[in-house]
C-alpha cells in the first residue's frame, strides 16, 4: 500500500464487536479470563492494550519495520532502547542531539557503567577512523538544533563493521520524509509528541525495530519497566498519523518559505535549514530523505536579540516542542538544550542568539508577516 493509505489504515480494522471504524480507546486495567491460562491474548494492560497495539502496528508499517513498542514519552523510548547495551559497553552519539537525550545519557545512564562519547557524525569516514569500538551508535539527522546532516547508510556500514547497532532518532523528519530502516539502521526512535501526533496534545514515544529479537527484548522492557503509552494517548497519536501525509507537505512548503524569508533579512546572521543548496550535507540529505521538513534555526547574534524577537512574535508561540500544526518558536540555549553546559554549547555552536522555529500549517503569509514585524524589534 502507499504511504498515505498506510497512515490511514495500517494496524486498524473495524472493531470486531461493534464495527466501529475507529479503534476504540480500551480504557481498562485488566481483562477477565475464562480459566487458568485461558484468555483472549490480553491479561493485564501494562503488558498488552489493543489501542496501543493498533498504534504500534501503524507505526511499524510507516517506518517499514518488523515491530514497534510505544512508550510514555520520547525519552522513555530512548531509555528503553538503551537497555540494548550493557555495563562496560560504549555508545557513540552524534553531537548536538536533543538536550534531554544528552542529559539522560550523561547524567543518568552513565552511572550504570555505560560509556558515552559525543562525536561529530556528519563525516562517517572520520567517525570510523576516530570513534574506536562501540556497541551502539545513536544519531539524529538533521541534528537538533543545528541541522547537521549525518549519512545514515554510511554510518550503518560503520556500525555493522563493529557488529554494533545504529539507532536513528527520526523525530524531525517523520517517516513521511525519511525511513532510516530502509537505509540500514537497526532501530528508529520518535518522540510521537511531535509530527506523528502533530497536534501538541500528547506526550509519547516509540521504538521501531527490524530484528525480531530486538522487538522481543523491547516488549519485555516495556512490560518490565512499565513506561507504557496510555490508551488515550495511543488513540490521539493514531488520529494524528491518519493525516501525516497531508500535514507534512504543508509543513515543508511553509518551512521553505519561512527559511528563505529569514535568510534575506539583514538582522538574521545565519539560517540553518537543510533545504539550502549550500547547507553542509545538503546532497546527502537529498539522497536519504524526500523533503527538508519545517525545522529551522537562525542566529540573531546574542541573547538580547533573541529575547526581543521572542517577546515580539504574536502568531508564533514561544514554547518548547515542535511538530504541531501551530508554529512554535524557542530558544535552544535556555530551553531544549539547557541540559548542556555553557562550554558544551559554545563548543557546538549553540549560541545565545540562536532561535529555533518549528513551522506549522498556518498561512505562510501570516507567519512571514509576524516574523517580519518581530524582527523590527531585534
Ligand atoms: C529530537 C527529539 N528526540 C526526543 C525528544 C524527547 O521526546 P519527549 O519530549 O516526547 O520525551 C525530543 C523532545 O523535544 C526531541 O526533540
Amino acid at each position: 500500500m502507499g504511504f498515505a493509505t498506510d497512515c490511514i489504515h495500517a494496524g486498524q480494522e473495524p472493531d470486531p464487536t461493534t464495527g466501529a471504524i475507529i479503534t476504540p480507546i480500551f480504557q481498562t486495567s485488566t481483562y477477565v479470563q475464562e480459566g487458568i491460562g485461558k484468555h483472549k491474548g490480553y491479561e493485564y494492560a501494562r503488558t498488552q492494550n489493543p489501542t496501543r497495539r493498533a498504534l504500534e502496528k501503524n507505526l511499524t508499517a510507516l517506518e517499514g519495520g518488523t515491530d514497534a513498542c510505544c512508550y510514555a514519552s520520547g525519552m522513555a523510548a530512548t531509555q528503553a532502547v538503551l537497555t540494548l547495551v550493557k555495563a562496560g559497553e560504549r555508545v557513540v552519539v552524534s553531537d548536538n542531539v536533543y538536550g534531554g537525550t544528552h542529559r539522560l545519557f550523561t547524567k543518568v545512564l552513565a552511572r550504570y557503567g555505560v560509556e558515552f562519547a559525543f562525536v561529530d557524525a556528519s563525516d562517517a569516514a572520520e567517525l570510523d577512523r576516530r570513534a574506536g569500538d562501540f556497541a551502539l551508535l545513536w544519531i539524529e539527522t538533521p541534528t537538533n538544533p543545528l541541522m547537521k546532516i549525518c549519512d545514515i547508510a554510511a554510518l550503518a556500514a560503520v556500525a555493522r563493521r563493529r557488529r554494533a547497532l545504529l539507532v536513528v532518532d527520526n523525530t524531525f523528519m517523520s517517516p513521511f520524509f525519511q525511513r532510516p530502516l530502509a537505509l540500514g539502521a537497526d532501530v528508529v526512535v520518535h518522540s510521537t509528541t511531535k509530527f506523528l501526533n502533530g497536534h501538541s496534545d500528547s506526550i509519547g514515544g516509540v521504538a521501531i525495530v527490524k530484528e525480531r529479537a530486538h522487538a522481543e527484548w523491547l516488549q519485555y522492557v516495556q512490560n518490565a519497566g512499565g513506561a507504557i503509552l496510555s490508551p488515550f494517548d495511543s488513540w490521539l497519536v493514531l488520529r494524528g498519523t491518519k493525516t501525516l501525509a497531508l500535514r507534512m507537505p504543508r509543513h515543508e512548503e511553509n518551512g521553505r518559505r519561512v527559511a528563505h524569508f529569514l535568510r534575506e533579512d539583514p538582522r538574521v546572521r545565519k539560517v540553518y535549514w537543510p533545504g539550502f543548496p549550500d547547507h553542509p550535507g545538503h546532497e546527502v540529505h537529498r539522497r536519504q530523505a524526500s523533503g527538508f521538513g519545517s525545522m529551522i534555526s537562525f542566529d540573531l547574534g546574542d541573547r538580547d536579540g533573541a529575547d526581543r524577537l521572542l517577546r515580539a512574535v504574536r502568531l508564533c508561540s514561544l514554547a518548547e516542542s515542535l511538530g504541531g500544526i501551530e508554529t512554535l518558536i524557542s530558544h535552544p540555549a535556555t530551553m531544549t538544550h539547557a541540559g548542556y553546559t555553557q562550554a558544551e554549547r559554545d563548543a557546538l555552536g549553540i549560541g545565545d542568539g540562536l532561535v529555533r522555529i518549528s513551522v506549522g500549517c498556518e498561512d505562510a503569509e501570516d507567519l512571514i508577516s509576524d516574523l517580519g514585524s518581530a524582527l523590527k524589534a531585534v
Side-chain angles (χ1 to χ4, degrees):
M1 293 287 176
F3 188 84
T5 307
D6 275 346
C7 283
I8 296 166
H9 292 287
Q12 298 165 81
E13 279 104 43
D15 175 47
T17 53
T18 63
I21 192 159
I22 296 300
T23 305
I25 304 168
F26 283 90
Q27 192 68 34
T28 187
S29 60
T30 194
Y31 309 88
V32 176
Q33 306 188 20
E34 282 169 39
I36 296 173
K38 279 196 84 185
H39 54 74
K40 299 180 168 67
Y42 295 93
E43 295 144 282
Y44 186 58
R46 168 160 41 75
T47 321
Q48 312 104 344
N49 180 282
T51 319
R52 191 175 82 221
R53 196 64 194 136
L55 175 63
E56 288 168 344
K57 287 185 180 165
N58 181 256
L59 297 176
T60 298
L62 299 191
E63 284 287 2
T66 300
D67 212 335
C69 284
C70 286
Y71 296 89
S73 67
M75 291 321 304
T78 301
Q79 182 162 20
V81 169
L82 263 290
T83 63
L84 289 166
V85 297
K86 302 188 198 68
E89 291 184 325
R90 275 184 87 232
V91 174
V92 170
V93 188
S94 61
D95 58 14
N96 84 83
V97 284
Y98 167 58
T101 304
H102 181 266
R103 176 175 54 208
L104 176 70
F105 290 177
T106 58
K107 304 288 191 310
V108 181
L109 300 179
R111 290 160 48 104
Y112 298 93
V114 178
E115 188 193 328
F116 292 91
F118 290 80
V119 301
D120 181 354
S122 59
D123 184 340
E126 183 68 0
L127 184 142
D128 197 14
R129 269 193 299 278
R130 291 169 151 259
D133 206 14
F134 55 81
L136 188 146
L137 174 57
W138 180 284
I139 63 164
E140 290 177 12
T141 180
T143 63
N144 183 358
L146 293 174
M147 314 295 159
K148 280 195 195 175
I149 305 301
C150 306
D151 186 331
I152 298 171
L155 290 169
V158 170
R160 218 175 298 121
R161 273 199 283 286
R162 291 160 169 86
R163 296 177 182 276
L165 300 177
L166 174 65
V167 184
V168 180
D169 180 339
N170 201 28
T171 300
F172 269 28
M173 283 288 104
S174 91
F176 182 79
F177 287 130
Q178 182 169 272
R179 300 191 1 143
L181 297 179
L183 296 162
D186 299 284
V187 183
V188 167
V189 167
H190 282 274
S191 166
T192 61
T193 314
K194 320 299 186 198
F195 289 104
L196 292 178
N197 181 54
H199 293 76
S200 307
D201 52 12
S202 155
I203 295 280
V206 64
I208 304 128
V209 300
K210 215 151 51 179
E211 293 278 327
R212 175 72 39 209
H214 294 151
E216 281 166 14
W217 175 250
L218 290 179
Q219 273 153 9
Y220 189 82
V221 171
Q222 188 187 40
N223 180 50
I228 49 165
L229 192 63
S230 77
F232 183 54
D233 287 292
S234 300
W235 183 86
L236 282 173
V237 182
L238 269 176
R239 193 171 64 158
T241 58
K242 283 188 170 46
T243 57
L244 185 67
L246 298 174
R247 287 183 282 112
M248 295 313 285
R250 171 74 172 208
H251 276 293
E252 161 148 283
E253 169 60 13
N254 282 0
R256 189 183 61 74
R257 291 184 60 184
V258 167
H260 281 93
F261 167 77
L262 290 170
R263 199 175 197 183
E264 272 155 35
D265 192 291
R267 287 158 290 206
V268 177
R269 297 191 180 187
K270 187 165 178 179
V271 182
Y272 301 84
W273 182 62
F276 292 130
D278 59 357
H279 183 86
H282 172 81
E283 284 307 323
V284 172
H285 185 86
R286 279 177 72 99
R287 211 168 54 227
Q288 66 189 12
S290 59
F292 302 108
S294 62
M295 295 303 299
I296 303 163
S297 296
F298 56 102
D299 184 11
L300 292 172
D302 56 22
R303 187 186 166 121
D304 277 353
D307 195 37
R308 279 196 287 271
L309 177 104
L310 294 171
R311 283 170 189 274
V313 284
R314 293 287 170 265
L315 181 57
C316 306
S317 302
L318 172 57
E320 301 223 11
S321 203
L322 62 107
I325 41 162
E326 57 288 287
T327 297
L328 300 181
I329 194 160
S330 64
H331 186 236
T334 57
M335 297 169 89
T336 48
H337 290 69
Y340 285 78
T341 62
Q342 178 79 50
E344 284 166 337
R345 283 196 301 273
D346 289 346
L348 291 170
I350 305 173
D352 288 348
L354 195 74
V355 171
R356 192 190 75 184
I357 183 164
S358 164
V359 181
C361 294
E362 299 91 339
D363 289 301
E365 301 75 36
D366 292 333
L367 295 172
I368 286 170
S369 155
D370 187 40
L371 288 165
S373 311
L375 278 166
K376 291 192 185 118
V378 170

